Amino acid sequence: LLLLLLTLALAQPYLESDAAPSQSVVLVLDSSASMLATDAEPTRIEAAKSHARTVIDKLSNTDEVMVVVAGPRTEVRQGFTRDRAEAKAAVDSIEALSAQGSLREGLMLALSMARSRPGVELVVLSDGSGEDLTTVPTGGVPVRYVQVGRSPDNSGILALDLRRSPVSELDRQLFVTVQNFGRQETTAAVGVYLDDKLVGMRNETLAPDEPVSMVFELGGSTAGELRVELEADGDHLAADDVAYAVISEATERRILLVGGDALTARVLQADPRVTLSLAKPSEVTAEMCATFDATLFMGPVPSGMEGQHYAVLGPHPGSPVRFSEEVK
């Protein structure tokens, strides 16, 4: 019996089989904001997930698959597994986020995990997102790119800025910049809402790849949450159609002028943001100064002013202001 077993071992018997050798597949799904576009049904991310499930269904029982998410946060959502239900659950859990992501980082992560596997293939599901991936070193690993969504039609809000009005110190201006990223001219409506109440509306014609800026006037008493909404014809991506800002009511400043002349008082009173009070140096105390937003001294500064908000106009030697040597 022992001799028979040794003879069989030396003969190296084997059974022929039609089964193909097992392979490894790494699915890389783009989850950046552009994958929320609706030019694929119902969205690009859902179309990508559907294709990923099809790839998983075609795997044999001996094949293994890994799921990598390339988005605002790049991660391995599912390590190598032969459990197709587990892999599909990982794909189903992926959601696109309204933030910029890096497909390149996801591809680099997938390649680092895949190189140790024989017969591995990378399947990248993305809309392209404008990244140049030609310089990514694949190390001989085959990469198959599946594009989801091809329409470039999108208009979005590029910038939002609140500034003081050049006409009135108490009023503000809201600057909004929008852009059409498509290839065709389109029309757009930009609405500004204050706590859900419409306070401004503009209709603009947007030429391709040309930023358009517009200004909305806001009164000094305006306060609350500002929401800017863009509606454009042929727009497939809603993630960049809304922007927010918080605006507080413009408040006046209570200023105490100590020992000032009439001209200085008139200059300060010309500013609508300032409520001015006058006092003589002999009347001023630290407690009085504490009731104002700032104190301006035009003359000697009394003792005990440490910790108060004050400025000295035309300081003289002996005041709290220190003088250095003359510099030409």
Side-chain angles (χ1 to χ4, degrees):
L1 181 60
L2 180 60
L3 181 61
L4 178 61
L5 291 174
L6 288 172
T7 304
L8 287 173
L10 290 172
Q12 295 182 340
Y14 66 92
L15 294 174
E16 289 188 357
S17 171
D18 294 332
S22 62
Q23 66 168 336
S24 300
V25 175
V26 181
L27 295 171
V28 181
L29 277 79
D30 186 354
S31 66
S32 58
S34 60
M35 294 294 285
L36 293 168
T38 57
D39 57 333
E41 292 293 337
T43 60
R44 291 179 182 177
I45 186 63
E46 292 302 326
K49 289 160 65 173
S50 176
H51 191 94
R53 287 190 288 267
T54 301
V55 172
I56 295 171
D57 284 334
K58 292 182 179 180
L59 298 176
S60 70
N61 293 332
T62 59
D63 294 337
E64 57 182 3
V65 61
M66 172 186 281
V67 180
V68 174
V69 182
R73 179 181 177 182
T74 299
E75 62 174 327
V76 176
R77 184 61 57 92
Q78 173 61 55
F80 280 111
T81 180
R82 289 187 174 91
D83 188 331
R84 283 181 284 183
E86 195 174 49
K88 286 183 179 180
V91 169
D92 291 340
S93 69
I94 298 174
E95 299 292 340
L97 303 175
S98 298
Q100 185 177 5
S102 175
L103 184 58
R104 183 186 183 90
E105 289 184 6
L107 185 56
M108 294 291 290
L109 175 62
L111 287 168
S112 68
M113 305 292 290
R115 288 193 179 102
S116 62
R117 289 295 202 279
V120 69
E121 179 190 26
L122 261 67
V123 180
V124 180
L125 301 111
S126 171
D127 57 4
S129 65
E131 288 187 80
D132 182 12
L133 304 178
T134 58
T135 58
V136 176
T138 62
V141 176
V143 179
R144 178 157 55 100
Y145 176 72
V146 179
Q147 183 169 2
V148 288
R150 297 182 179 274
S151 174
D153 293 338
N154 175 47
S155 299
I157 300 172
L158 282 185
L160 199 66
D161 189 22
L162 277 169
R163 304 178 189 175
R164 185 179 301 158
S165 171
V167 179
S168 171
E169 292 287 345
L170 288 178
D171 295 334
R172 266 75 59 86
Q173 291 181 328
L174 178 67
F175 288 78
V176 181
T177 303
V178 300
Q179 183 170 332
N180 171 19
F181 297 95
R183 300 191 184 100
Q184 303 294 328
E185 182 179 88
T186 187
T187 57
V190 178
V192 178
Y193 297 84
L194 177 65
D195 294 332
D196 295 327
K197 179 183 178 182
L198 182 65
V199 295
M201 175 66 73
R202 296 286 169 80
N203 293 303
E204 298 284 346
T205 299
L206 305 181
D209 291 327
E210 290 186 10
V212 176
S213 297
M214 54 197 75
V215 181
F216 296 89
E217 301 291 340
L218 301 172
S221 59
T222 303
E225 179 191 83
L226 286 172
R227 185 178 77 257
V228 181
E229 294 184 357
L230 169 70
E231 293 184 8
D233 294 339
D235 187 5
H236 291 297
L237 182 63
D240 55 2
D241 293 343
V242 183
Y244 296 90
V246 176
I247 184 171
S248 58
E249 185 175 352
T251 57
E252 296 182 347
R253 300 299 183 184
R254 299 183 66 249
I255 305 298
L256 176 63
L257 178 61
V258 181
D261 55 41
L263 178 58
T264 304
R266 287 187 62 185
V267 170
L268 291 171
Q269 287 174 326
D271 190 332
R273 296 170 298 167
V274 171
T275 299
L276 187 66
S277 298
L278 304 176
K280 298 178 181 178
S282 58
E283 302 171 342
V284 177
T285 63
E287 291 75 14
M288 179 188 296
C289 293
T291 63
F292 290 86
D293 295 303
T295 302
L296 302 182
F297 290 99
M298 289 193 68
V301 179
S303 59
M305 291 293 122
E306 293 79 6
Q308 302 301 321
H309 298 292
Y310 70 88
V312 181
L313 305 181
H316 59 281
S319 73
V321 179
R322 299 289 181 259
F323 293 88
S324 65
E325 297 179 0
E326 285 191 5
V327 178
K328 290 186 180 179

